[in-house]
Amino acid sequence: MKWSLKDRIIFTIAGFLGSAVIFLLGKTVRIKLINFRHHEKIKNSGKRIIYAFWHNTLFFFAFYFRGRKIHTLSSQSKDGEYMVRSLRNLGYRSVRGSSSKGAVKSLVEIKQKLDQGYDVGFTPDGPTGPIYSTKPGIIITARASGQPILPMICDFKRKWVLKSWDKFMIPKPFTKGIILFGEPIFIPKETSKEEFEKYQNVLKERLDYLRERGKEFI
């Protein structure tokens, strides 16, 4: 995507400010990890991780997993460019594409990153929703790569909830929060396209369960 000089200047400034806000605010949150053993079990097995989390939790996960060269799938829109610039400053790498534009190419590239030894991150309901829905891209990637999907959620005692399609969450300064990990989901190589919807529902149910369960710890 070609941007004008004015656009590039705005993106650079916005990316710096965005990453600074994420970092400085994230540093104040007192976070508790729950069921982190699921994460460590995958790491100890030598597998790569396909992180799966709802779009509205992107803010804090961007802070927590910073500096690990995780690759994310980002929209080719201007809004996507703002996010890409912020994430890049926090040590992420982005593959550009979406469920409607450049989807096949971006999923092939994401799979290549897993093959090269990188972890990747997916928001199954992003970039445009509907909220708490799952698209097939993450299932396709997990089947093709043989790597597990790790569902996870985060929540906070005090937070701002924006009036956006995803009810985007931003933790308030010095609040307490949790990250709750679920059991990994493996997609068999022999899974047919007709079975994708079944695993999409499995992932949605797992994430919804974690979201409800997480309220017990807040």
Side-chain angles (χ1 to χ4, degrees), residues 206-218:
R206 191 74 54 86
L207 283 168
D208 284 342
Y209 168 77
L210 293 174
R211 185 163 55 90
E212 290 301 314
R213 179 77 193 284
K215 296 174 182 179
E216 300 174 15
F217 301 96
I218 298 299

Side-chain angles (χ1 to χ4, degrees), residues 3-16 82 85:
W3 305 108
S4 67
L5 176 60
K6 179 182 177 181
D7 284 334
R8 294 198 299 272
I9 292 173
I10 293 174
F11 290 146
T12 299
I13 295 172
F16 172 77
Y82 289 122
R85 298 298 180 107

Side-chain angles (χ1 to χ4, degrees), residues 21-211:
V21 169
I22 291 171
F23 179 80
L24 293 174
L25 185 52
K27 275 287 190 180
T28 72
V29 177
R30 292 164 288 171
I31 203 72
K32 179 180 180 181
L33 303 181
I34 303 169
N35 291 342
F36 187 60
R37 66 182 185 278
H38 295 311
H39 181 280
E40 292 302 273
K41 185 175 181 179
I42 299 175
K43 284 295 185 182
N44 293 335
S45 73
K47 290 280 190 180
R48 308 314 303 173
I49 297 178
I50 302 174
Y51 294 101
F53 50 97
W54 294 132
H55 195 272
N56 62 4
T57 59
L58 180 58
F59 184 98
F60 191 76
F61 281 132
F63 166 77
Y64 185 79
F65 289 100
R66 70 194 186 281
R68 306 187 192 194
K69 296 183 179 179
I70 294 172
H71 286 69
T72 63
L73 188 61
S74 302
S75 166
Q76 298 181 43
S77 66
K78 278 194 172 184
D79 287 344
E81 189 67 23
Y82 289 122
M83 182 60 66
V84 165
R85 298 298 180 107
S86 297
L87 292 177
R88 183 184 302 166
N89 291 337
L90 292 167
Y92 293 86
R93 301 293 180 267
S94 295
V95 172
R96 306 307 296 273
S98 69
S99 58
S100 59
K101 190 174 183 180
V104 174
K105 180 178 180 295
S106 60
L107 290 178
V108 169
E109 190 173 344
I110 279 284
K111 192 263 184 183
Q112 290 173 344
K113 297 304 179 184
L114 286 162
D115 292 343
Q116 293 166 9
Y118 295 101
D119 297 326
V120 303
F122 271 87
T123 55
D125 57 343
T128 57
I131 188 173
Y132 305 143
S133 63
T134 54
K135 300 182 177 75
I138 188 172
I139 306 301
I140 295 170
T141 301
R143 185 191 69 163
S145 66
Q147 306 300 333
I149 298 171
L150 180 65
M152 59 186 187
I153 63 95
C154 62
D155 204 353
F156 312 94
K157 190 174 184 65
R158 295 183 299 111
K159 63 197 173 192
W160 290 289
V161 178
L162 305 187
K163 294 181 179 179
S164 55
W165 69 264
D166 61 348
K167 300 179 182 179
F168 197 78
M169 296 191 304
I170 300 175
K172 292 188 176 182
F174 304 103
T175 190
K176 293 181 180 179
I178 58 107
I179 295 178
L180 175 59
F181 297 89
E183 293 184 10
I185 301 171
F186 290 85
I187 311 299
K189 287 281 188 180
E190 61 272 17
T191 299
S192 66
K193 291 182 180 179
E194 290 72 27
E195 294 178 298
F196 283 176
E197 186 175 352
K198 178 184 75 174
Y199 284 103
Q200 287 174 243
N201 290 334
V202 168
L203 176 57
K204 173 178 169 51
E205 289 169 3
R206 191 74 54 86
L207 283 168
D208 284 342
Y209 168 77
L210 293 174
R211 185 163 55 90

